[in-house]
Amino acid sequence: MGKQRRWPLATRVACFMVLPLFTLSPTSWALNAAISGVSSQVETNIDAYLQSIDEEQYTDVRLEGVIRQRTREAMRVYGYYEPDITVELDKTPVVVRIEPGPQVKIEVLSINIEGDAQNDRPFQVALENFPLREGDPLQHAPWDRLRNQFSSLAIERGYFDSGFTDRRMEVRPYLESARLYMDFSSGPRYQFGNTSIRGSHIDPERLRHMQTYEAGDPYLAESIARYNQRLAETGWFSSVTVRPRLETAQELTITPPSGGAPWWSEATASQPQRPLLSGAALASALSLHRRDEDDTRLPIDVSVEPADRHQFEVGIGYATDVGPRLRFGWQQPWINRFGHSLNHDLYISAPEQRFSGVYNIPLEDPIRDNYRLQYGVRNRDDSDTRSLEGTVEIARRWEFENRWVQTLYFRTTYEDFTQGGVSDEVWLFYPGIQWSRTRTQPQRFPLWGDRQQLSIEYSDTAWKSDAQFARLTGDTEWIRTIGNDNRFLARLSIGAIETHDFDKLPPSLRFFAGGDRSVRGYSYESLSPRNEEGRLRGGQQMLTSTLEYQRRVKDNWWAATFVDSGDAFDNWGPEDLKTGAGVGVRWVSPVGPIRVDVAHPFDNDDDWRLHFSIGPEF
């Protein structure tokens, strides 16, 4: 019975291993057979069993015997144990005619769960979803799946002393009946014990606050995996290992066959070492009845290694908006035992140069809650904009279970600027709040994803800010894929400022449109209201949108067509928005997606613009 259940998997694995050879060879070794007399489901399984037969390896007599044998094996899993099989080798393809005969029915079906698992809901659901009943035709697959489900659930949910006390399938083809027995003894469910942390340069209490379980909770493998993931996401460690120490069984085992010590030895090096038992002693020890309830508590061993204290990153890129660009990053993922971090970033391009830093102070949940101190200087010299800006911001950040991030901040900005020939210097003090969420699958070139962001800021002369304003910005972007080859992208961005001091607002707060990530067909930030001299002044409102369709041409190459529309303006409801449309190429390169677009602005019949950029959409 066991060989029959394993054979389809072995057949498929063999097929995939030799597939490259098959495509290179002019001769076909797989048996091509025309099967008749059975249902499509049984026919498909028989065909899979016959695929690995190499006709050249057998004489006709032997080949016919092998075909009959494998056909019977393929039919047994559906309850046909006495088929009448006719094989005609002199035809192309080989003809296999089948009289399936009677299908074995289930006469007795006995499934029992003993121990703590009998009241555990996932086990009950597995039983409720078992499709076979007494009187149904026999099928091996659901029976095997239930057995595997019980075994998997036992490991995932902490029944480490579980086992099958009875597991039988008695088939009587001559009576057209089968008797199925499965008795699963789960034993007690283990609980989480105390957590031991080794190798941490961060205060262990901070790591314990991140635990996804409490001592005494029922064991759940998912909680271990989530704790492991959360520790890794902090960036504090170069490696993280979270494992249960199975003292009542595995810790008593003899030295592993490969030599060396068991995996937990390193994690528990500071604890007294206990002698290892022989196999016979182990069997005897495991047969003893457990009297102390604490025997079912599993200590959890956490072993970590510090991440490099200084990490550097250099990036070089190009985009038609800004030309060549250089970025240098210096990250310190931890600077003290409390897990504080410090990051610096230097960005250089022809129109803009900036230096910024972020000091991060994690709270009780360092992944989701923290304080941030951000600071930076920026110099811009682009078209009608000249600006030297310095900013300091203090922020409180929360990340919720639904992955939305809320940030409450207070920002102070000094900016010395000239916009459209008008110069000024301003100090602004304003609070703000932002909600954002980004989801992508996969990360490098998302085939599914979306990004939302909404920000509200307010400044008032009552607290000595040089301008009074309320500013709102919002962005939403969606990527969806139909099948494997049709990718759709939609983007909408809005912005609005309510103020009586617009001339006091620096360029960093005004709105401009146009460019690679805005309205293609127009140069970078070239769309905005203009003053009497025809110079860009910036707008109080902004609206841009994008619709794009991409079609996979081959492998990592995609063709694209798109329409962008939008503008920056002073009053809602402009007479018309600027619109550009075009075609492009996408290449998912090893360094990230590369986009090349040719766009045509609709308000100029003779104009075309090339757009080039590297990096994901968001």
Side-chain angles (χ1 to χ4, degrees), residues 257-278:
S258 58
W263 63 262
W264 58 84
S265 296
E266 181 181 352
T268 59
S270 60
Q271 302 179 13
Q273 297 297 307
R274 280 172 275 187
L276 300 179
L277 301 183
S278 66

Side-chain angles (χ1 to χ4, degrees), residues 426-441:
V426 294
W427 278 98
L428 299 176
F429 308 94
Y430 55 97
I433 187 169
Q434 180 184 90
W435 297 275
S436 63
R437 183 178 68 176
T438 299
R439 302 180 296 177
T440 58
Q441 297 176 3

Side-chain angles (χ1 to χ4, degrees), residues 409-425:
Y409 57 88
F410 182 84
R411 182 180 300 164
T412 177
T413 298
Y414 168 79
E415 194 159 346
D416 183 356
F417 66 91
T418 300
Q419 181 64 53
V422 178
S423 300
D424 206 344
E425 298 180 32

Side-chain angles (χ1 to χ4, degrees), residues 12 98 126 158 179 190 229 310 334 337 378 382 519-520 576 588:
R12 290 177 172 82
I98 303 171
R179 298 181 178 184
Y190 282 67
Q229 180 181 2
H310 300 277
W334 58 275
R337 67 187 183 93
R378 180 172 70 162
D382 181 36
V519 184
R520 284 164 287 188
D576 61 339
V588 187

Side-chain angles (χ1 to χ4, degrees), residues 128-177:
E128 292 169 2
N129 293 335
F130 184 63
L132 301 181
R133 299 291 183 268
E134 290 184 356
D136 289 348
L138 173 64
Q139 294 186 46
H140 290 204
W143 182 255
D144 293 339
R145 279 197 301 269
L146 183 63
R147 177 198 64 193
N148 294 334
Q149 273 186 288
F150 283 173
S151 298
S152 298
L153 286 171
I155 295 173
E156 294 170 5
R157 304 183 67 78
Y159 298 96
F160 295 113
D161 297 330
S162 64
F164 293 94
T165 57
D166 190 11
R167 191 180 71 222
R168 288 177 291 148
M169 179 185 290
E170 298 178 356
V171 180
R172 296 173 172 82
Y174 56 92
L175 295 177
E176 301 175 17
S177 68

Side-chain angles (χ1 to χ4, degrees), residues 42 61 66 74 88 91 115 119 143 167 181 185 211 220 270 310 319-320 322 333 383 390 393-394 470 484 494 541 587:
V42 179
V61 174
V66 171
E88 298 180 15
K91 295 184 178 181
N119 298 316
W143 182 255
R167 191 180 71 222
Y181 303 92
S185 176
Q211 287 180 194
L220 193 62
S270 60
H310 300 277
T320 49
V322 298
S383 186
E393 175 184 297
I394 298 175
N484 294 320
I494 62 171
Q541 286 90 34
W587 176 42

Side-chain angles (χ1 to χ4, degrees), residues 512-580:
F512 301 84
D516 298 343
R517 299 184 58 83
S518 181
V519 184
R520 284 164 287 188
Y522 299 87
S523 59
Y524 179 56
E525 295 192 347
S526 63
L527 300 179
S528 90
R530 296 177 180 267
N531 59 23
E532 296 178 354
E533 299 175 353
R535 296 182 177 182
L536 296 172
R537 186 170 56 85
Q540 288 188 234
Q541 286 90 34
M542 181 268 296
L543 173 65
T544 65
S545 63
T546 292
L547 286 175
E548 183 170 320
Y549 167 66
Q550 300 170 12
R551 172 74 180 179
R552 189 195 302 270
V553 178
K554 185 178 181 181
D555 299 330
N556 290 326
W557 289 90
W558 299 69
T561 181
F562 57 86
V563 176
D564 297 340
S565 187
D567 205 347
F569 38 85
D570 286 333
N571 296 292
W572 281 111
E575 295 182 0
D576 61 339
L577 296 174
K578 304 297 183 182
T579 301

